[in-house]
């Protein structure tokens, strides 16, 4: 190979979970790695920041991110970063679910029994469905387990169509299938591809008894995906360039020339030659950097679309939720999480974060409107909130949180290899077989 492109040098563009993983794996293989990230931090969309509030400075995650025991790639990354002690993983799945219309509480959980018997007791006792609905749900779960995930026909239809075909009532969809599916797919059953929904339920609930146990960070996400990741990359010898963007990727003899621009570079710009380039950036950014001929139909990337996530943050002057998290029925509130301990709240009270997926109708609403909408709903869901004082209320918005997992999505997601040797794609939007999750991002890297 010519000296113009160093054969053992690789450039990773993008410092999200996919880019971090790719850079570490390349360094492990002996490559000299440069990682360029446009933001002043690593972690992509799974990050945290400090916010000044009426109750003092708070550490805020941009959104509530959870993982499951079956997320082996993400858990492997946490181990590589040396932060497994900073996350919590349920010893056994337990999701408390409250119906505000009836005031009844139920639990989705598992026993230590073989699949699918591990869910039987939870389903039989689930109070939010009738006896007939519970029986029909069990039959649908067995039918779902029998689907072949490699069947391309699954991506041609919606999950809602399949559920209706298998006798699932609107109440069953709301109280069970969408309760899980919206949070993991960022789409309702009507919006979601059957292929991705089947993957979520088969892998998470019907593959291994412990696959669905829920994990989450005990500290701000920035400690995991930024601070710890930077330290691991440094130990691996990766050159990390923050506030640095790639403006072009130009094929050269034996490799590529990557043009970088950033305030920390000498003269504000730098040209890096490499034998391999990984574009670990969102699909639109990747499309803008791909050289001609890299993909047969690069315009397909724009057709993936996006789905938003809205996060509502409320600080009360007292404790109003006893569980670490709670799912709601009969209310716009989907999931509410207690983030008090990891936020650094020092004045007492409780900090709750609402994670509102598939929030197309609310993502652009003014904060005042969201306050009028969600505070009364929290009082319906959490009776003790009626006597509490709201010390702080704010929202965070991710308008392009995930790709839209609609039917036909599979044909739009490219694999890691392009038509140009040494040029690769990474990101949760690529063809991982997973929806847009932290696990999918790490697998792609």
């Amino acid at each position: 190979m010519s000296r113009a492109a160093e054969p053992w040098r690789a450039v990773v563009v993008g410092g999200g979970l996919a880019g971090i993983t790719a850079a570490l794996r390349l360094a492990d293989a002996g490559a000299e790695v440069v990682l360029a990230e446009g933001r002043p931090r690593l972690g992509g969309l799974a990050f945290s920041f400090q916010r000044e509030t009426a109750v003092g400075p708070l550490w805020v995650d941009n959104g509530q991110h959870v993982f499951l025991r079956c997320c082996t790639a993400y858990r492997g990354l946490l181990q590589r970063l040396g932060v497994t002690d900073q996350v919590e993983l349920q010893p056994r799945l337990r999701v408390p679910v409250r119906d505000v219309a009836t005031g009844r509480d139920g639990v989705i959980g598992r026993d230590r029994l073989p699949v699918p018997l591990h869910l039987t007791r939870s389903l039989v006792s689930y109070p939010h469905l009738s006896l007939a609905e519970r029986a029909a749900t069990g039959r649908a779960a067995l039918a779902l387990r029998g689907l072949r995930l490699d069947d391309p026909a699954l991506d041609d239809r919606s999950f809602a169509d399949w559920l209706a075909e298998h006798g699932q009532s609107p109440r069953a969809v709301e109280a069970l299938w969408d309760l899980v599916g919206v949070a993991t797919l960022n789409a309702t059953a009507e919006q979601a591809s059957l292929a991705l929904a089947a993957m979520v339920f088969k892998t998470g609930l019907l593959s291994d008894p412990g696959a669905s146990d829920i994990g989450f960070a005990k500290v701000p996400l920035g400690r995991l995906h930024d601070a710890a990741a930077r330290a691991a990359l440094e130990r691996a010898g990766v050159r990390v360039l923050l506030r640095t963007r790639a403006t072009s990727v130009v094929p050269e003899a034996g490799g590529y020339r990557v043009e970088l621009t950033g305030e920390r570079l000498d003269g504000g710009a730098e040209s890096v030659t490499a034998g391999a380039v990984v574009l670990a950036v969102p699909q639109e950014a990747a499309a803008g950097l791909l050289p001609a001929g890299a993909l047969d139909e690069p315009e397909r990337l724009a057709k993936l679309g996006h789905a938003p996530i809205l996060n509502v943050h409320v600080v009360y002057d007292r404790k109003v939720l006893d569980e670490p998290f709670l799912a709601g029925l009969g209310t716009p509130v989907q999931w509410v999480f207690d983030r008090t301990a990891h936020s650094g709240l020092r004045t007492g009270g409780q900090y709750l974060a609402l994670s509102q997926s598939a929030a197309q109708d609310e993502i652009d609403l003014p904060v005042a409107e969201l306050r009028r909408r969600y505070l009364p709903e929290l009082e319906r869901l959490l009776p003790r909130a009626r006597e509490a004082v709201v010390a702080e209320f704010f929202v965070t918005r991710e308008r392009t949180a995930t790709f839209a997992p609609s039917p036909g999505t599979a044909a739009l997601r490219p694999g890691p290899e392009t038509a140009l040797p040494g040029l690769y794609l990474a990101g949760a939007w690529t063809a991982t077989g997973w929806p847009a999750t932290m696990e999918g991002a790490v697998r792609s890297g």
Side-chain angles (χ1 to χ4, degrees), residues 58 319 337-346 348-352:
L58 293 178
K319 190 171 186 177
F337 294 83
D338 180 3
R339 307 309 288 156
T340 308
H342 101 312
S343 69
L345 181 63
R346 304 298 182 202
Q350 189 172 34
Y351 168 21
L352 302 181

Side-chain angles (χ1 to χ4, degrees), residues 86-156:
Q86 297 178 50
V87 299
E88 182 173 337
L89 182 59
Q90 290 179 325
R92 198 182 304 179
L93 173 68
R94 185 180 184 277
V95 177
V97 183
R98 178 169 297 165
D99 186 343
V100 298
T102 65
R104 300 185 71 180
D105 290 336
V107 172
I108 298 174
R110 72 168 180 92
D111 292 316
R112 293 180 179 176
L113 293 171
V115 174
L117 299 177
H118 66 309
L119 299 173
T120 301
R121 185 162 65 96
S122 174
L123 182 59
V124 168
S125 62
Y126 193 54
H128 305 312
L129 297 177
S130 69
L131 184 59
E133 287 169 331
R134 287 177 234 167
T137 297
R139 291 191 295 271
L142 291 176
L144 191 66
R145 192 183 182 203
L147 294 178
R148 290 177 47 243
L149 296 182
D150 60 353
D151 181 358
L154 299 187
D155 193 52
D156 294 335

Side-chain angles (χ1 to χ4, degrees), residues 330-411:
T331 171
V333 177
Q334 296 172 10
W335 292 72
V336 55
F337 294 83
D338 180 3
R339 307 309 288 156
T340 308
H342 101 312
S343 69
L345 181 63
R346 304 298 182 202
T347 58
Q350 189 172 34
Y351 168 21
L352 302 181
L354 283 62
S355 182
Q356 302 294 116
S357 300
Q360 287 86 346
D361 295 336
E362 296 182 321
I363 193 66
D364 291 318
L365 290 180
V367 173
E369 172 62 24
L370 293 169
R371 183 185 180 108
R372 287 192 295 270
R373 178 172 299 194
Y374 278 101
L375 289 183
E377 289 298 332
L378 280 170
E379 292 179 4
R380 293 177 66 213
L381 184 65
L382 307 171
R384 279 183 284 170
R386 299 165 192 168
E387 307 300 325
V389 174
V390 176
E392 188 70 26
F393 182 99
F394 58 96
V395 301
T396 54
R397 312 171 198 258
E398 289 294 345
R399 292 176 175 82
T400 58
T402 69
F403 68 84
S406 52
T409 294

Side-chain angles (χ1 to χ4, degrees), residues 55-383:
V55 294
L58 293 178
W59 279 105
V60 178
D61 289 343
N62 72 310
Q64 178 61 50
H65 291 73
V66 302
F67 61 95
L68 304 180
R69 192 180 294 277
C70 63
C71 296
T72 53
Y74 177 69
R75 291 172 57 210
L77 177 62
L78 294 178
Q79 186 172 15
R80 173 67 184 270
L81 301 182
V83 294
T84 53
D85 62 329
Q86 297 178 50
V87 299
E88 182 173 337
L89 182 59
Q90 290 179 325
R92 198 182 304 179
L93 173 68
R94 185 180 184 277
V95 177
V97 183
R98 178 169 297 165
D99 186 343
V100 298
T102 65
R104 300 185 71 180
D105 290 336
V107 172
I108 298 174
R110 72 168 180 92
D111 292 316
R112 293 180 179 176
L113 293 171
V115 174
L117 299 177
H118 66 309
L119 299 173
T120 301
R121 185 162 65 96
S122 174
L123 182 59
V124 168
S125 62
Y126 193 54
H128 305 312
L129 297 177
S130 69
L131 184 59
E133 287 169 331
R134 287 177 234 167
T137 297
R139 291 191 295 271
L142 291 176
L144 191 66
R145 192 183 182 203
L147 294 178
R148 290 177 47 243
L149 296 182
D150 60 353
D151 181 358
L154 299 187
D155 193 52
D156 294 335
R157 60 187 308 199
S158 75
F159 188 36
D161 288 344
W162 187 91
L163 290 173
E165 184 179 282
H166 287 78
Q168 300 306 286
S169 68
R171 175 60 175 178
V173 173
E174 175 198 12
L176 185 62
W177 300 107
D178 266 355
L179 190 78
V180 176
V182 170
T184 51
L185 294 164
N186 197 20
T188 64
E190 290 183 351
Q191 300 165 333
S193 155
L194 172 58
L196 284 172
M199 183 273 156
V200 164
F201 283 94
K202 285 194 66 170
T203 304
L205 287 171
L206 300 169
S207 63
D208 181 85
S212 57
D213 300 339
I214 297 174
F216 46 86
K218 298 189 292 185
V219 299
L221 288 174
R223 292 193 195 174
L224 309 180
H225 304 153
D226 182 23
R230 274 197 254 181
L233 290 164
E234 182 179 351
R235 290 193 299 270
V238 176
R239 181 188 177 201
V240 178
L241 300 173
L242 299 178
R243 295 189 173 93
T244 302
R245 298 185 181 277
T247 57
S248 67
V249 177
V250 181
E252 289 190 340
Y256 300 89
R257 184 180 76 254
V258 183
E259 299 293 343
L260 302 174
T261 180
E263 60 188 57
R264 297 187 178 182
L265 301 177
D266 291 341
E270 183 175 337
S271 180
V272 180
T273 58
V277 175
V278 179
L279 298 180
V281 291
Q283 58 259 38
E284 294 90 347
L289 289 171
L290 283 171
L295 290 182
D296 289 338
E297 299 178 71
E299 64 276 7
R300 288 189 306 172
L301 299 185
K303 296 179 181 179
L304 267 175
H306 292 285
I309 296 178
L310 174 72
N311 298 279
V312 177
H313 307 262
V314 187
V315 180
Y316 289 102
D317 69 341
R318 67 196 71 181
K319 190 171 186 177
V320 298
L321 173 66
D322 293 325
E323 302 278 2
F325 57 84
L326 177 69
L329 293 177
T331 171
V333 177
Q334 296 172 10
W335 292 72
V336 55
F337 294 83
D338 180 3
R339 307 309 288 156
T340 308
H342 101 312
S343 69
L345 181 63
R346 304 298 182 202
T347 58
Q350 189 172 34
Y351 168 21
L352 302 181
L354 283 62
S355 182
Q356 302 294 116
S357 300
Q360 287 86 346
D361 295 336
E362 296 182 321
I363 193 66
D364 291 318
L365 290 180
V367 173
E369 172 62 24
L370 293 169
R371 183 185 180 108
R372 287 192 295 270
R373 178 172 299 194
Y374 278 101
L375 289 183
E377 289 298 332
L378 280 170
E379 292 179 4
R380 293 177 66 213
L381 184 65
L382 307 171

